[in-house]
Amino acid sequence: MKKLLTIMLLTTLTACSGAGSSGGEVLPTAAVPAGAAPGDPKDVATGLSVPWAIAFLPGGDALVTERDSARLLRVSPAGKVTELATIEGARPDGEGGLMGVAAKDGQIFLYYTAEQDNRIVRYRLSGDSLSDERLLVRGIPKGGIHNGGRLEFGPDGYLYATTGETGDRDLAQQRDSLGGKILRMTVDGAPAPGNPFGTLVYSYGHRNVQGLAWDGSGRLYASEFGANTYDEVNLIKPGANYGWPEVEGRGDDQRFVNPILTWSTGEASPSGMAYASGSLWVGALRGARLWQIPLGEDGSAGTPAAHFTDRYGRLRAVTASPDGTLWVGTSNKDGRGSPRPGDDRILSVPPS
């Protein structure tokens, strides 16, 4: 009887620890204090169609891409929407189209799906006009799914881009492929100095990263779609392998880096991500909520909190604005959501 009780106790402790039956789950660090809850959202702009990414200009206006229309919009804090261009080379299809946008020194960078591939291009913005188109990166694999698409400038001044493996799982582990990677480059599209392999590739083993954010200490985080079990948030290190397709969630395999947090895929399908007020903020598509993940001083993740669950539907774009609020875009017209009056919309959310 004593032996039986000992076995039962050990089994219970194993289950609670996140090992054994929990598979690839990564539990948060309880020592990280919870973050303050966000304020109530307010509409900035309504009547949009699948706003995919948001990037702010120095004057406070935002550039917004629409994936399926291939329109690039300018949205003011007061909600004025101006169409700057329809990107002629974009060929929206499935999960591809006009996706990432970033801005630096009067230049606009876009990630879009073309006829044969995904591409990164650069324009000059003068007033409300685009000029001087330059193709920076071509040959990024495209597919009906998993096209990646996020563009962000890091605190180091270099441009980061996320790519998906387009459903061809093996691409993620092939370092000579641009699929299933995080890329790092100069404003001219060349590999950034210090890249681990001397190429554009910064990290690999990714399924479909759609969110990038840096914390106050300059650490890079990425949100990543899982397959059937675990979505992830990863702390990104140069040259590191994040395991897909060998691992989904936590693998405890020395060849791969474990995520710092996982959810079930029904709770998340994480896309855009921003850092503000000591937390990561992640838009959930299938989960239809805004996740808040408090971070510890060492970059560890505390217990995530869900906000606005089912209130606005699918959430995709999340960007910190110059005034300290978060701009969050819905994605209810993407063929997988249920559009509501006013959709798609951009919301302004006070992070605390």
Side-chain angles (χ1 to χ4, degrees), residues 231-308:
D231 291 326
E232 303 176 0
V233 171
N234 285 293
L235 178 57
I236 302 300
K237 302 291 186 182
N241 184 344
Y242 289 83
W244 180 255
E246 302 300 324
V247 175
E248 180 182 359
R250 180 171 183 155
D252 291 328
D253 185 319
Q254 63 180 2
R255 296 174 297 168
F256 310 126
V257 177
N258 283 329
I260 64 168
L261 181 72
T262 57
W263 299 276
S264 70
T265 52
E267 294 178 300
S269 294
S271 188
M273 180 165 63
Y275 175 81
S277 299
S279 293
L280 294 172
W281 302 84
V282 185
L285 291 164
R286 185 177 172 191
R289 66 199 74 180
L290 181 66
W291 280 108
Q292 178 185 9
I293 307 165
L295 295 179
E297 292 183 0
D298 62 352
S300 58
T303 301
H307 303 291
F308 319 125

Side-chain angles (χ1 to χ4, degrees), residues 84-170:
L84 299 183
T86 297
I87 304 305
E88 294 183 359
R91 297 291 183 269
D93 181 38
E95 293 180 3
L98 180 59
M99 294 178 284
V101 60
K104 184 179 179 65
D105 298 331
Q107 299 180 108
I108 306 304
F109 301 79
L110 297 173
Y111 184 118
Y112 66 78
T113 306
E115 190 70 38
Q116 301 295 331
D117 55 4
N118 285 302
R119 298 181 172 189
I120 300 171
V121 297
R122 187 183 75 198
Y123 296 88
R124 175 69 58 181
L125 178 65
S126 301
D128 287 338
S129 299
L130 298 185
S131 62
D132 301 331
E133 179 182 2
R134 177 172 175 178
L135 177 61
L136 300 184
V137 181
R138 65 190 309 166
I140 301 170
K142 64 167 281 188
I145 58 173
H146 304 175
N147 287 286
R150 194 65 57 187
L151 290 179
E152 299 284 353
F153 274 97
D156 57 7
Y158 294 112
L159 181 64
Y160 291 71
T162 73
T163 72
E165 34 79 300
T166 69
D168 184 351
R169 299 153 62 103
D170 292 341

